[in-house]
Amino acid sequence: MPNSTASKPALRKLPFAALVAMLLALPFGTDSAAAKDFQLGAPVVATISLPDAWSPNVTERGVEATTADDEIYVAVNVASARNVEDAMKQALAYLVSQGVEIDPSTQRQREMTINGMPTLFLGYSGKDSEGEQAEISVGILIANPETVLILSYWGSKDGEKTYASELGAILQSLTKVQ
């Protein structure tokens, strides 16, 4: 990630839970570029919309996207509710394999509901592969009694500020299929 020296002090001190709540409160689709819808699971359990400019692509278990400037990474994977702990470990291990350093002493936990799905977020502070400060989170969204969605995220402080509208739209677009 590029060197981020001009972070807004208020955003730097914003607690993880408050950041998630703020992103969910943003109006959907505000000035964001074209987005592509993705279906998650087979059978489909949820849908999500990711900005085309983020170069989204389908993975073995879901979808991922990264901003062109590498300031934000988002992934959503489908997992069995019986294997939630393993899925969380895999999500964190993937981020670490990409050079993200997670500071376990900064762990924050928040329970909420996103679009009707009970959700547990674990948030951390850390560094990206270039040593810049980053925020990391992994969320578990219960799509149905058998299936969960694992939402993985890391981003720079500047990236969170720059892409706040798009991040809010992504969270609001994550919808379970009835």
Side-chain angles (χ1 to χ4, degrees):
M1 281 191 235
N3 187 359
S4 55
T5 58
S7 291
K8 235 182 190 179
L11 186 59
R12 182 175 300 147
K13 295 179 183 175
L14 191 63
F16 170 75
L19 177 63
V20 171
M22 175 188 77
L23 292 175
L24 285 171
L26 291 171
F28 179 68
T30 56
D31 298 327
S32 59
K36 183 174 181 182
D37 295 331
F38 294 90
Q39 296 182 337
L40 302 166
V44 177
V45 295
T47 60
I48 189 168
S49 184
L50 295 169
D52 284 337
W54 289 29
S55 304
N57 70 118
V58 176
T59 65
E60 186 176 322
R61 289 178 277 175
V63 64
E64 66 183 0
T66 305
T67 58
D69 59 5
D70 292 328
E71 292 291 318
I72 301 288
Y73 169 83
V74 175
V76 180
N77 293 307
V78 178
S80 167
R82 293 182 306 254
N83 299 323
V84 171
E85 189 174 336
D86 287 341
M88 289 283 290
K89 287 179 183 176
Q90 288 175 8
L92 290 169
Y94 175 76
L95 295 174
V96 170
S97 77
Q98 298 302 302
V100 175
E101 293 180 30
I102 299 170
D103 180 353
S105 71
T106 64
Q107 181 178 323
R108 303 165 304 274
Q109 184 173 319
R110 169 75 183 204
E111 292 182 34
M112 61 181 55
T113 300
I114 296 178
N115 298 328
M117 292 180 279
T119 303
L120 171 67
F121 271 107
L122 297 178
Y124 304 89
S125 295
K127 295 183 180 183
D128 65 14
S129 61
E130 296 176 6
E132 298 298 323
Q133 292 297 313
E135 288 300 312
I136 300 103
S137 67
V138 176
I140 304 166
L141 295 86
I142 301 173
N144 62 47
E146 296 83 31
T147 310
V148 296
L149 304 174
I150 305 296
L151 174 63
S152 304
Y153 164 87
W154 67 261
S156 71
K157 303 287 186 175
D158 286 343
E160 288 179 343
K161 177 181 156 188
T162 301
Y163 298 105
S165 177
E166 290 91 339
L167 289 167
I170 290 167
L171 279 176
Q172 289 183 347
S173 77
L174 189 52
T175 308
K176 69 179 173 178
V177 173
Q178 301 299 333

